[in-house]
Structure formats: structure tokens, C-alpha cells
Amino acid sequence: MPLTNVQARDVEALLHPYTPLHRLAETGPLVLDHGKGVCVYDTQGREYIEGMSGLWCAGLGFGDEELIEAAKEQLSRLPYYHLFGGKGMEPAIELAEKLKEIAPMPVSKVFYTSSGSEANDTQVKLAWYYNNARGKPQKKKIISRIKAYHGVTLMTASLTGLPANHRDFDLPLAGVLHTDCPQHYRFAEPGESEAEFVARITASLEALIAREGADTIAAFIAEPVMGAGGVIVPPAGYYERVQEILAANDILFIDDEVINGFGRTGNWWGCQTMGFTPDTLSCAKQLTAAYAPLGAVLIPDAVYDAFVEQSRKIGTFGHGFTYGGHPLGCAIGVKAIDIYQKRDIVGRVRALAPQFAARLARLDDHPLVGNTRAKGLVGGVELVADKATRRAFDPGKGVGAACARACEAHGLILRALGDTIAICPPMIIAAEELDALFDRLERALDDTE
Ligand code: PLP
């Protein structure tokens, strides 16, 4: 089909992130105009169920009047200020107080960023700074996992364990180590039980630490349920053992809650669903329900105390972003948390999770589907060339992308992560809307070749 005028202008003017650029002019961009509830509408007026909450972030859907009002009120009162040099403002304080209250571990201070990448990048700088402050300048390496996604800055793209983020960007940077991905379906040895798999990959983590030397490793970063790497739910017992290993080796556990946080997995935090307690935590995305960009790092006492000591020696704490703690994002964040609490969003996710899991499991019988997985209201459908052997499609074939395009033709937006289709609907979705989402996905799968 020839491109519409707005599509042609888009192709002419924009470099699109995470997009097969060589095909864009032919497939045409999907240009959205407005949204309401769980749906968005393109410039032709076509409706789509937004089954991904945008990029796992618009958890309260589109057009929420309370969030819009909070934004208007803050923009007219104080549209911008910052926190540098000890300045302050009410929304930044109030949001930090709320985050400390709902955090899954004791938190001393909240540091704001504009995004999830900046939050995780900050985590690495803080871990380095902390170890310098406590006289351990060799303790700097960071362990991440194969298939992890932690962002796109130089360091967070290095932590990310996906080939497209490294190849031809000259990454990863030195000092980043990748350990096993905790996905049983893809990485278990033939006949290996989940318990045996966990024992093997955690022993491999221990061996990596021993080989490198615990005194060279600052932190381990993990996303509880891995999102962009393919919606991977690690088996029972995995995080328990990881946590023991990290504690025994004086390695900080950085919890990346950028997708998992604020109810997505059926608890406030993914670490609560998966059963571990981190040392520090990054959040973003649903922190503001995506009505404005904002990220946050939650810092424990021991780390903060070391920073105060450094500040005494150096004269300042030398890190901060112009838009970290932007009043618009903070005011919206305060309102978003208020809505999560008063509308009992965690309760809603738990109530919808059985229906979500059951509809997902129904797809297991489809000839293209090798594996489905879900936790709370996030799920993945892995498409394979051969169900029996679990053989993947040739990546160049683009089967996942073809399925996502078929979804669009049926009025549904989902995201292809390679050949895994991710589903992450707004947490306000109604039971009938969830059924409609899966009905459309089933039709799209039938149309996928
Ligand atoms: N961490 C996780 C787990 C993410 O999923 C993402 C983005 O999808 C990021 C970090 C990076 O966040 P941002 O895109 O806001 O920089």
C-alpha cells in the first residue's frame, strides 16, 4: 500500500529506535494520534488495543483525567526546577517519601533520573563510588545476565545481554561480565529438571565470582521477571541461591524494577513476587504511568553514609541530571502511586492473572508456539520452527515481526522480541478487553507464516 502523507513525512524525518530501518519505507510506520483507556487510535481513526502499555509503561492506560489534572496543576505552579546544590520542591519530596514507604527494603534516600537507562547507569557509578569510599578500589566489575535488558547508555547497553545492543557498537565495555540466563525452556540441558538447572547455573555464577575474585566485583544486576529479553520467569529457588552467593561475597544486588515495579507481576515489586530482597533498586516507566519521563534509584543507608563521607573529602557529590526530579514527573508520580493504592491495582492484577494465564496457555496448542509464560499481567509467547525439538526460526526470517504486523492488522499492538511476542496490557484492562486482546492474537497467529 502506498504511504499516507503523514507516514511519508515520518519516514523522511525520523530515525526510529529499535526498528528494521531497511524495511520501514515499505511496511510504513504506524502513526498514532490519540488514546483512551486501553486503546490507541491511528491517524486514519483505526482502533488498536494497546497490549504492551506502550513500552511496558502506560500501566494506567490513556487519557486518565486524574493524571492529566495533576500535570496541569504542576505545570501552572512550577513547571521546572532542579535539586542541584540543595534546592528542593514539594513534589520531589512527596514522591521520595512515598517510594520509601512502599519500597521492598529499607531505603535511606531517593535519587532521581529521567529514564530507566539513567537509573541503571547511576547504579553502576554509585557502586563504584561506594567501593572507592570504603577503600576497595579494585571492587568494580558488574555481573549481568545473558538476555538481560538494562538500557542503552554505554554502560547499560553493556549490561544488556542481547547481541543487537553490542554488535557494531563496540560494546560491551570492559569490566562487565555476563552469567547464565535463567530460562529453563531455552537453556536447560536435555532431561535437566528445573531444580538441577538452578543448581547448575548458580554454581556457574559462583565459579565466575571465584575465577574473577570477589574483591574485583562490585555488583550483580537483575530484573526479577526479565522483560525485553523475552519475558523470562526464572525457576523457583534461583533468586534465593543467587542472593546467598552475593551476600557471601560482599556483592551488591541491584534490582532493576523498571518494568516489574508498581504492580505488574501481582505485587508492588517483582522482587517480592520472585522472593528476594535487593540492596538497591531502579524504577521508571510505571513510576509515572508514562505520563512523563522519570526514573529513580532507591539507596540504602550504608551506601548513602559512604557518600556523605566522600562529600566531606571531595566537597560535593558529583552526579546529577538537569531533569532528574523534574516537578512534572514527580507530581504525576505522586498521583500515579495514589491511584495504584486507591484503585487497588495490585489486587486487580492478581484478580486478572488467572484469566491472563489461562488464555495464554490456550496458545500452547498452536503449531507455531513453542512455549508460553506469564506472571501477573506480563506474558510471552515464543514462536518456534519445530515444537518437538524447540528449534528456533532463522532470525533473518522475522517471524516474530510478521506476527506483530498481523496483530496490527487485527487491531492489536504487541511487541516482537525476536520471535517471542510480549504481552503487557494496561493494568486497568477489563476482563472482556483482555478476552478481546487474546481473540485478536489468536487470529493474528493463524495469519502468521
Ligand atoms: N531496564 C529495563 C528492565 C527496561 O525494560 C528498560 C527499558 O525498556 C530499561 C531499563 C531502560 O529504560 P529507558 O528506556 O527508560 O532508558
Side-chain angles (χ1 to χ4, degrees):
M1 267 214 296
L3 299 187
T4 62
N5 182 37
V6 70
Q7 285 178 314
R9 283 175 44 225
D10 176 300
V11 170
E12 198 54 36
L14 292 176
L15 169 57
H16 282 266
Y18 287 107
T19 300
L21 301 178
H22 57 292
R23 283 208 216 110
L24 188 62
E26 166 203 325
T27 53
L30 174 60
V31 185
L32 282 322
D33 180 70
H34 63 282
K36 190 74 200 157
V38 300
C39 291
V40 289
Y41 300 81
D42 69 13
T43 46
Q44 316 268 79
R46 273 191 294 258
E47 179 191 279
Y48 302 84
I49 297 176
E50 222 316 342
M52 271 305 291
S53 303
L55 287 174
W56 332 75
C57 50
L60 294 175
F62 301 85
D64 186 290
E65 289 301 333
E66 283 193 75
L67 291 172
I68 294 166
E69 270 316 304
K72 280 189 194 159
E73 148 74 16
Q74 187 56 45
L75 283 175
S76 46
R77 180 186 292 271
L78 183 69
Y80 174 71
Y81 220 78
H82 61 82
L83 302 170
F84 281 42
K87 307 283 189 304
M89 56 195 147
E90 179 65 28
I93 301 165
E94 197 181 342
L95 181 58
E97 287 169 346
K98 280 190 177 263
L99 286 169
K100 287 179 65 165
E101 209 178 284
I102 61 173
M105 79 289 189
V107 171
S108 174
K109 300 287 181 279
V110 173
F111 179 85
Y112 291 115
T113 67
S114 325
S115 69
S117 296
E118 285 180 359
N120 287 332
D121 211 67
T122 293
Q123 291 278 15
V124 174
K125 286 182 76 176
L126 298 190
W128 288 350
Y129 197 70
Y130 171 59
N131 281 343
N132 285 333
R134 62 186 188 133
K136 299 191 175 192
Q138 304 305 317
K139 203 168 167 61
K140 294 290 163 54
K141 291 175 198 162
I142 313 286
I143 303 179
S144 180
R145 299 178 294 184
I146 292 164
K147 284 202 170 195
Y149 188 86
H150 297 298
V152 291
T153 60
L154 289 172
M155 178 47 81
T156 57
S158 298
L159 296 174
T160 291
L162 298 167
N165 294 76
H166 295 167
R167 214 187 126 171
D168 292 346
F169 285 113
D170 296 1
L171 295 174
L173 298 177
V176 173
L177 307 167
H178 286 97
T179 191
D180 299 81
C181 173
Q183 184 186 14
H184 182 267
Y185 175 74
R186 259 295 145 229
F187 297 107
E189 305 280 1
E192 197 173 42
S193 70
E194 285 197 345
E196 289 160 347
F197 174 66
V198 166
R200 177 168 62 78
I201 65 171
T202 53
S204 139
L205 172 65
E206 244 181 329
L208 173 69
I209 295 169
R211 208 161 53 240
E212 298 284 332
D215 54 348
T216 72
I217 302 171
F220 171 86
I221 184 165
E223 186 188 13
V225 172
M226 298 169 77
V231 191
I232 296 162
V233 184
Y238 168 76
Y239 282 115
E240 211 172 22
R241 183 70 195 117
V242 167
Q243 180 147 29
E244 280 169 8
I245 295 168
L246 300 181
N249 288 284
D250 183 28
I251 295 172
L252 287 173
F253 196 153
I254 303 171
D255 179 12
D256 182 346
E257 295 272 355
V258 168
I259 288 177
N260 285 211
F262 306 99
R264 177 56 63 188
T265 66
N267 286 288
W268 272 96
W269 305 101
C271 65
Q272 294 162 332
T273 300
M274 299 308 296
F276 68 91
T277 308
D279 296 301
T280 77
L281 184 154
S282 299
C283 58
K285 295 193 191 264
Q286 295 192 138
L287 170 58
T288 59
Y291 279 55
L294 188 72
V297 176
L298 311 192
I299 299 165
D301 274 321
V303 174
Y304 179 71
D305 292 347
F307 294 172
V308 178
E309 273 317 298
Q310 282 300 85
S311 178
R312 214 184 300 283
K313 282 188 251 160
I314 300 173
T316 192
F317 171 63
H319 181 65
F321 302 98
T322 298
Y323 299 120
H326 195 291
L328 177 64
C330 289
I332 293 172
V334 167
K335 180 53 76 180
I337 293 179
D338 178 44
I339 292 174
Y340 296 144
Q341 286 173 326
K342 71 186 181 200
R343 296 191 204 158
D344 187 19
I345 290 294
V346 168
R348 277 191 65 85
V349 170
R350 287 188 185 182
L352 286 168
Q355 181 192 351
F356 186 77
R359 287 298 308 252
L360 200 60
R362 230 167 84 171
L363 303 176
D364 281 327
D365 293 334
H366 195 279
L368 283 180
V369 175
N371 182 246
T372 57
R373 46 238 180 206
K375 205 50 128 177
L377 275 188
V378 59
V381 184
E382 187 161 337
L383 310 181
V384 290
D386 186 329
K387 274 170 96 90
T389 62
R390 305 183 179 187
R391 183 167 57 82
F393 284 107
D394 169 2
K397 204 159 177 242
V399 175
C403 182
R405 280 198 302 278
C407 286
E408 280 179 23
H410 286 286
L412 171 64
I413 296 181
L414 294 179
R415 191 164 165 71
L417 310 163
D419 288 336
T420 295
I421 305 299
I423 312 168
C424 183
M427 300 183 293
I428 54 159
I429 195 164
E432 316 78 73
E433 291 169 326
L434 196 55
D435 273 332
L437 183 159
F438 279 100
D439 292 345
R440 293 179 195 193
L441 173 56
E442 283 176 0
R443 289 199 288 274
L445 273 171
D446 289 340
D447 287 353
T448 304
E449 291 165 23

